[in-house]
Structure formats: C-alpha cells, structure tokens
Amino acid sequence: MRSGEELDGFEGEASSTSMISGASSPYQPTTEPVSQRRGLAGLRCDPDYLRGALGRIKVAQVILALIAFICIETIMECSPCEGLYFFEFVSCSAFVVTGVLLIMFSLNLHMRIPQINWNLTDLVNTGLSTFFFFIASIVLAALNHKTGAEIAAVIFGFLATAAYAVNTFLAVQKWRVSVRQQSTNDYIRARTESRDVDSRPEIQRLDT
C-alpha cells in the first residue's frame, strides 16, 4: 500500500512539474493567426470623414452635380446644342468621378491602395471640376433659351462650381500638410541613419 501511495504522489509531482515547466518554457504551442477577411465583408463606413468638412463638401458636390445633370437631361430641344452637350458631359463626369472618390474615402478603401497619392488625386479632380463646371455654366448661360430647365441647370452648375472651389482650397491645404509631414519624416530618418553611422566606428573603418 505504501508503494502505491508513493507512486501516486510521484505521478502527481511529475504532472505538476510538467505543467510548471510547460508554462515557463519558451517553446509554447503556437496557433496560426486567422487571416482577416478581405472584400466586401470587411467594409465599414467612416462616420468621421462624412462628418468632417471634406466629407460634407464632397457629398454636396455629388448631389449638386447629379441635380445639374438631371436638369440638363430634361431639356428636349436645343439650338445650338454644343453648350448643352458640354454641360452634360461635365456634370456627368464630375458626378461619377466624385462619387467614386466619396465611396473610396468614406469606406476607407483608399487605405488598401497606398500606391496612389489620394490627396493629389482629389486635388486634381476638384481643380478640373471647378474649372470645367465654371466654363460649362457660363457657356450654357450665354446660349440658353431662358427655359426653366436651362436656368435651373445654370444655377446648380454655379453652385457646384462653388462647392468644388472650396474643396480645391481645402485639398491644397491638406496636400501641403502631407508634403511637409513627408519631408519631416525623411529628415528625421536621415538624421537617425547618420547618428547610427557615427555611433559605429567599425562602419567608418570599413568605409575608409
């Protein structure tokens, strides 16, 4: 009986010892991380962007461009039609491109494509849209026949021009801030690398 009790005690000590050694061992069983799902399932809306100035202005741009396009599409007769066609092209293009950028920014899709400078892309889009909307609105105002649809298209065209102009100003400021941050990061990185080289005399001997 005594030998059986001693054997049971030995087994208990061995199991507890193995548990302790297993807990303190650096070779812990690892589990492979589960890869995050990519695609439409991982999309989330960014309310902070939509509540900000750029988000609100971009929503206004999409709405104004869409209304201007709808107004110009209701016109059945035109003579000459060049100004109407030009306004139609500008409003439709601005609506599509700005709508795509709004979706990219509001869903943080631009973070998945860091190879593209999205601040510069937004700046180019807003700048071109401001210019072409302004020209198209002036041309349509000069060639219209004072119908309700043409007057409404001209009004919303100038409103869209103002919205794109404000966005262009904000985009320029944001682009300048990003350029300054990039230059500051490059300067700090260069200073850090130079200090690392100075603190390693063996590297200097190898260089000489």
Side-chain angles (χ1 to χ4, degrees):
M1 294 295 292
R2 184 177 179 182
S3 61
E5 292 177 355
E6 292 177 356
L7 182 61
D8 294 337
F10 177 77
E11 292 177 354
E13 291 177 358
S15 61
S16 61
T17 303
S18 62
M19 292 176 61
I20 295 174
S21 62
S24 60
S25 175
Y27 303 100
Q28 296 293 332
T30 59
T31 57
E32 295 181 357
V34 180
S35 59
Q36 296 181 352
R37 294 182 179 178
R38 294 183 178 273
L40 297 178
L43 297 181
R44 291 184 179 181
C45 182
D46 187 4
D48 293 334
Y49 175 77
L50 296 176
R51 294 172 185 171
L54 289 175
R56 292 181 179 180
I57 293 176
K58 200 161 293 297
V59 171
Q61 291 170 0
V62 172
I63 295 175
L64 292 173
L66 178 60
I67 295 176
F69 178 73
I70 293 175
C71 291
I72 207 68
E73 285 296 312
T74 58
I75 300 175
M76 299 300 177
E77 297 180 358
C78 60
S79 179
C81 298
E82 289 78 9
L84 187 145
Y85 293 153
F86 181 62
F87 189 92
E88 180 182 11
F89 172 77
V90 171
S91 58
C92 181
S93 300
F95 168 72
V96 173
V97 177
T98 308
V100 171
L101 290 176
L102 176 61
I103 294 175
M104 296 290 292
F105 291 141
S106 61
L107 297 180
N108 286 327
L109 292 176
H110 64 291
M111 302 297 293
R112 301 187 180 185
I113 313 176
Q115 295 83 4
I116 300 177
N117 190 338
W118 292 102
N119 293 331
L120 183 59
T121 302
D122 185 35
L123 175 59
V124 172
N125 173 64
T126 53
L128 292 177
S129 298
T130 302
F131 175 76
F132 285 111
F133 245 125
F134 181 70
I135 298 298
S137 300
I138 292 178
V139 172
L140 185 62
L143 300 178
N144 68 59
H145 300 83
K146 297 181 180 180
T147 61
E150 290 178 336
I151 295 175
V154 170
I155 292 175
F156 284 104
F158 281 115
L159 290 176
T161 302
Y164 277 105
V166 174
N167 195 356
T168 301
F169 176 75
L170 296 178
V172 168
Q173 289 186 335
K174 187 176 181 179
W175 178 69
R176 287 179 177 177
V177 170
S178 64
V179 170
R180 291 176 182 174
Q181 290 179 351
Q182 183 65 29
S183 61
T184 302
N185 294 334
D186 294 340
Y187 175 76
I188 294 175
R189 189 181 301 109
R191 292 277 297 180
T192 304
E193 292 176 355
S194 63
R195 289 177 181 177
D196 293 339
V197 172
D198 295 338
S199 62
R200 296 179 182 178
E202 63 276 6
I203 297 179
Q204 295 180 356
R205 286 196 297 269
L206 290 175
D207 294 338
T208 56

